[in-house]
Amino acid sequence: MTSKLFLTATMNTKTVNYAHKAPVPYWDAQLYDSRHSFVSNLAVDLLELLDPRMGEHILDLGCGTGHLSYKITNTGAEVTGIDHASTMIKRASQTYPGLNFLVIDGSNLAWNQQFDAVFSNAVLHWIKEPEKVISGVGQALKPGGRFVAEFGGKGNIDTIITAIYQALNAAGYPKNKTMNPWYFPSIGEYGMLLETQGFELKLATLVERPTSLNDGEKGLNNWLKMFGGQFFQGIPESEQLNIITDIEARLRPKLFKNGTWIADYKRIRIVANKIK
Ligand code: BEZ
């Protein structure tokens, strides 16, 4: 595996090139915990849907820095947390040394009927091969096991994406729009994928969840650096900064309210059981 910087220090982001895959973002685990903790804080009621029980074995797919894995273990369940980013797993293992964390890509699961449930928060929109994820989850679950997940759904951050595209066009980088790293399906589309692979859909919802970004005026800038770095691949640093300033200007009238940036998140939530 090789890695190279694709954004400069201002972006805090680099690509990691796998021979067979598109570049994926580099995850700065410390920055994630300090500025973007709202991602796991918002997932409390998703844990209620999971309803983990004493003695169950649960896979946390895309566990990041491990906070939700830890919350799940508080119920007496045993958790295996996985993430494709070694930076996240390193931090999770340091923070919760008693838990089991592994560097594994969600589209490359190789378990066989080991888990009572698979849980996933704010991760599946990063994986553009949903069929592979669903197939691996189906294999990993015991018969009757449950898959409980939340991620960005159809229309998620449409306002932000539109502004990014407009700013890239205006700066003369229209091709960078093709570097959009996200998959935001409708509930119909995702439900169909689940049913096709032997799941029974118990719940599927798509809800608007406007989300305050931390750090006041800097909130959108931080968010773009943490999550949107791929759009800026190959663009000189000074131009990246101009493009970000342009994105902020385009979004300010719509998303900046009382000193806080509000991202137009739309979440899809699913609960599905693996048919026996
Ligand atoms: C989300 O949680 O919906 C999300 C986060 C970062 C980038 C895109 C979507």
Side-chain angles (χ1 to χ4, degrees):
M1 188 198 308
T2 56
S3 67
K4 64 173 185 177
L5 285 175
F6 85 80
L7 292 170
T8 58
T10 55
M11 300 303 288
N12 258 325
T13 311
K14 65 186 175 187
T15 49
V16 178
N17 288 319
Y18 298 87
H20 60 292
K21 287 193 170 169
V24 295
Y26 167 83
W27 291 93
D28 182 331
Q30 208 168 348
L31 188 68
Y32 187 83
D33 265 356
S34 63
R35 298 253 172 77
H36 306 279
S37 53
F38 60 84
V39 177
S40 52
N41 293 341
L42 285 170
V44 173
D45 52 338
L46 189 65
L47 287 178
E48 282 168 19
L49 270 185
L50 174 66
D51 189 19
R53 288 167 223 148
M54 173 84 73
E56 283 192 324
H57 194 184
I58 295 177
L59 178 67
D60 183 359
L61 193 170
C63 63
T65 48
H67 302 307
L68 292 175
S69 303
Y70 174 69
K71 280 196 178 143
I72 295 169
T73 61
N74 284 339
T75 64
E78 186 188 336
V79 176
T80 298
I82 62 161
D83 204 287
H84 83 277
S86 56
T87 47
M88 295 296 213
I89 290 298
K90 188 173 170 205
R91 189 168 170 94
S93 303
Q94 285 164 348
T95 312
Y96 304 109
L99 301 198
N100 184 26
F101 294 109
L102 301 166
V103 180
I104 293 179
D105 190 311
S107 59
N108 208 12
L109 305 181
W111 278 285
N112 191 14
Q113 300 198 355
Q114 255 141 309
F115 295 97
D116 298 285
V118 175
F119 172 83
S120 183
N121 179 51
V123 170
L124 299 179
H125 51 248
W126 290 102
I127 306 179
K128 287 193 162 177
E129 298 170 306
E131 298 88 352
K132 278 190 170 183
V133 180
I134 292 169
S135 162
V137 169
Q139 284 293 320
L141 282 171
K142 297 174 185 172
R146 55 207 195 276
F147 182 27
V148 178
E150 175 172 321
F151 54 105
K154 192 171 174 58
N156 194 36
I157 53 167
D158 253 3
T159 316
I160 296 177
I161 292 173
T162 300
I164 294 172
Y165 284 2
Q166 287 172 341
L168 287 170
N169 282 341
Y173 294 99
K175 287 197 180 135
N176 282 52
K177 291 182 290 185
T178 63
M179 292 166 188
N180 184 330
W182 302 311
Y183 164 67
F184 298 138
S186 68
I187 47 178
E189 180 185 340
Y190 207 78
M192 179 83 82
L193 291 177
L194 286 164
E195 287 178 351
T196 305
Q197 296 214 42
F199 282 87
E200 185 177 46
L201 201 53
K202 295 287 191 183
L203 171 96
T205 59
L206 182 68
V207 288
E208 293 189 9
R209 165 100 61 69
T211 299
S212 303
L213 305 180
N214 292 339
D215 233 359
E217 172 66 41
K218 290 195 216 143
L220 181 64
N221 189 304
N222 293 338
W223 187 95
L224 287 166
K225 287 175 185 171
M226 184 83 208
F227 300 119
Q230 273 156 295
F231 284 109
F232 304 95
Q233 201 168 2
I235 301 178
E237 182 188 350
S238 58
E239 290 193 58
Q240 290 176 23
L241 297 178
N242 289 338
I243 293 169
I244 288 181
T245 303
D246 186 19
I247 294 168
E248 286 178 324
R250 289 173 191 274
L251 290 175
R252 190 173 295 276
K254 293 174 189 151
L255 300 184
F256 193 64
K257 306 257 154 58
N258 303 320
T260 302
W261 287 97
I262 316 273
D264 55 330
Y265 279 16
K266 258 191 179 180
R267 320 304 294 172
I268 185 170
R269 224 167 225 210
I270 58 104
V271 176
N273 286 1
K274 185 183 170 188
I275 296 171
K276 294 176 194 157

